Amino acid sequence: MKGVPLRVPHNIMSRLIDGLRSRFPDSLDDLVPDRIALARRFQRTFGRRLNLKNPQTFNEKLFWLMLYYRSPLVTRLADKYEVRTYVAERVGSKILNELYGVWERVADIDFAMLPEAFVLKVTWGSGMNILCPKKSELNVRDTKEALALWMSRNYYWSWREWCYKNIKPRIICERFLSDSLWGTPPDYKFFCFGGEPRCVQVDTTRFTQHGRDFFDLDWQLLPFNCGVYPSSGQTIARPSNLDEMAELARRLSNGFPFVRVDFYAIDGQTLFSEMTWYPGAARLRFIPESYDRYWGDVLQLPGRKL
């Protein structure tokens, strides 16, 4: 008896193909184990071998966490949709930005039903955002192409940041945020070690002249920088809700060796942004370099003592 050809509806086949494409590597580099790939990346970035047996610097310890600290909760909290439930359970839902929709496919988004201003985010990566302050000026075709591209490949393969590997890819739509003083609201990013916020990274005017400054919790400017953005050179006033943000960061980071908890302060109102496990994909170039070791001494790895 001859077999009957299996006919799969086109829409189901498309989903199967998209799912396989996002789950499996598509280059020979992707076949390299995480430990080797990360060691190579560290060598290229910092010009020395990665010390995993006895990591000393902040970046070395972030690499260690990528490889060996693999709690399912980390995956859940790296997911820009799932983290909302965790925040609501821990500190309440009032600090969550308004959510307009969530979709598993680009084709399911009805742009006609979206408000005049909004933000679209892909949930399994970093920097996969479409900011739309005015829908009438949005190029919908280009937006769909960008979203489809981001949904087609697991962001984990970009830098081997394990937290993204097992996230279910989705698209969320949230309220577009603006601030009466800054326009684009500053990001307040709390570096939390063992559940205690120790410093705040403040990113200002991100889409024009991106500046980055670091403060302690008494709002004293700290004498270092890191990453690719220079100090803003501005006098940044202490936000009126700094203590509230610090306490929320403390509660959300409790139980983790390290996580960065990010907020916005919109005209004094605290809004949650995200939780980041490996800032800069552990490629942070500290200036001066001694602060890489300074913060490395603060970060206590699970099962290790300072």
Side-chain angles (χ1 to χ4, degrees):
M1 180 178 178
K2 293 184 179 180
V4 178
L6 177 63
R7 297 192 178 187
V8 181
H10 177 73
N11 63 329
I12 296 178
M13 180 61 73
S14 296
R15 293 189 188 189
L16 288 172
I17 292 173
D18 289 345
L20 289 172
R21 184 182 295 120
S22 66
R23 295 297 173 186
F24 290 94
D26 62 2
S27 75
L28 292 177
D29 287 343
D30 293 348
L31 299 176
V32 177
D34 282 354
R35 184 183 176 110
I36 295 175
L38 290 172
R40 289 176 178 174
R41 181 157 64 81
F42 186 90
Q43 176 78 43
R44 289 195 301 267
T45 302
F46 297 102
R48 65 179 188 274
R49 295 184 64 181
L50 174 62
N51 181 357
L52 289 171
K53 290 185 178 180
N54 187 28
Q56 300 293 313
T57 68
F58 180 67
N59 283 294
E60 283 180 328
K61 290 187 176 182
L62 291 184
F63 273 82
W64 190 96
L65 290 171
M66 286 186 204
L67 284 166
Y68 302 120
Y69 186 69
R70 296 190 165 186
S71 164
L73 185 55
V74 170
T75 296
R76 179 187 172 199
L77 303 189
D79 184 322
K80 290 176 173 53
Y81 178 63
E82 293 293 337
V83 69
R84 296 174 59 92
T85 303
Y86 174 84
V87 171
E89 292 171 349
R90 278 279 179 117
V91 301
S93 60
K94 69 177 184 179
I95 66 168
L96 293 173
N97 193 11
E98 186 176 355
L99 181 70
Y100 296 138
V102 55
W103 305 272
E104 295 183 13
R105 299 190 310 152
V106 178
D108 292 336
I109 303 173
D110 185 351
F111 283 83
M113 298 300 293
L114 298 182
E116 178 63 15
F118 57 85
V119 177
L120 293 168
K121 301 178 180 180
V122 174
T123 59
W124 70 348
S126 176
M128 299 178 174
N129 308 317
I130 301 290
L131 279 68
C132 177
K134 195 171 183 180
K135 188 169 68 173
S136 61
E137 298 178 359
L138 180 71
N139 187 316
V140 174
R141 178 178 178 180
D142 288 351
T143 297
K144 288 182 176 181
E145 288 180 356
L147 293 172
L149 177 64
W150 293 334
M151 291 283 284
S152 70
R153 178 167 165 80
N154 194 323
Y155 185 79
Y156 153 80
W157 294 108
S158 298
W159 302 108
R160 300 299 181 101
E161 296 176 271
W162 179 83
C163 65
Y164 299 117
K165 186 174 184 179
N166 299 309
I167 293 176
K168 179 179 181 179
R170 284 175 285 203
I171 302 163
I172 61 173
C173 183
E174 294 180 334
R175 177 168 61 101
F176 181 88
L177 300 177
S178 62
D179 181 81
S180 60
L181 176 62
W182 292 93
T184 300
D187 285 299
Y188 298 92
K189 304 171 183 286
F190 289 77
F191 283 58
C192 300
F193 299 81
E196 187 62 31
R198 295 291 297 270
C199 71
V200 190
Q201 173 186 318
V202 183
D203 287 77
T204 52
T205 57
R206 285 171 292 144
F207 305 112
T208 52
Q209 293 180 316
H210 192 152
R212 175 171 293 170
D213 299 280
F214 286 83
F215 296 84
D216 64 18
L217 295 189
D218 293 321
W219 209 246
Q220 297 299 307
L221 186 65
L222 295 173
F224 74 90
N225 207 330
C226 69
V228 298
Y229 302 109
S231 172
S232 68
Q234 302 182 60
T235 299
I236 301 175
R238 174 189 173 120
S240 61
N241 57 334
L242 177 65
D243 292 341
E244 178 189 31
M245 290 191 290
E247 178 57 27
L248 290 167
R250 185 175 291 112
R251 293 168 64 184
L252 291 172
S253 65
N254 183 46
F256 303 114
F258 173 80
V259 64
R260 198 189 73 201
V261 186
D262 301 353
F263 299 98
Y264 299 109
I266 309 297
D267 298 321
Q269 178 190 3
T270 299
L271 286 177
F272 173 79
S273 175
E274 63 183 12
M275 298 177 73
T276 300
W277 299 96
Y278 326 113
R283 296 173 295 135
L284 298 175
R285 305 301 296 265
F286 283 86
I287 303 171
E289 189 177 354
S290 59
Y291 275 88
D292 198 0
R293 179 60 185 266
Y294 176 88
W295 292 114
D297 289 342
V298 176
L299 203 172
Q300 184 171 6
L301 296 175
R304 293 170 177 260
K305 294 182 179 181
L306 291 175

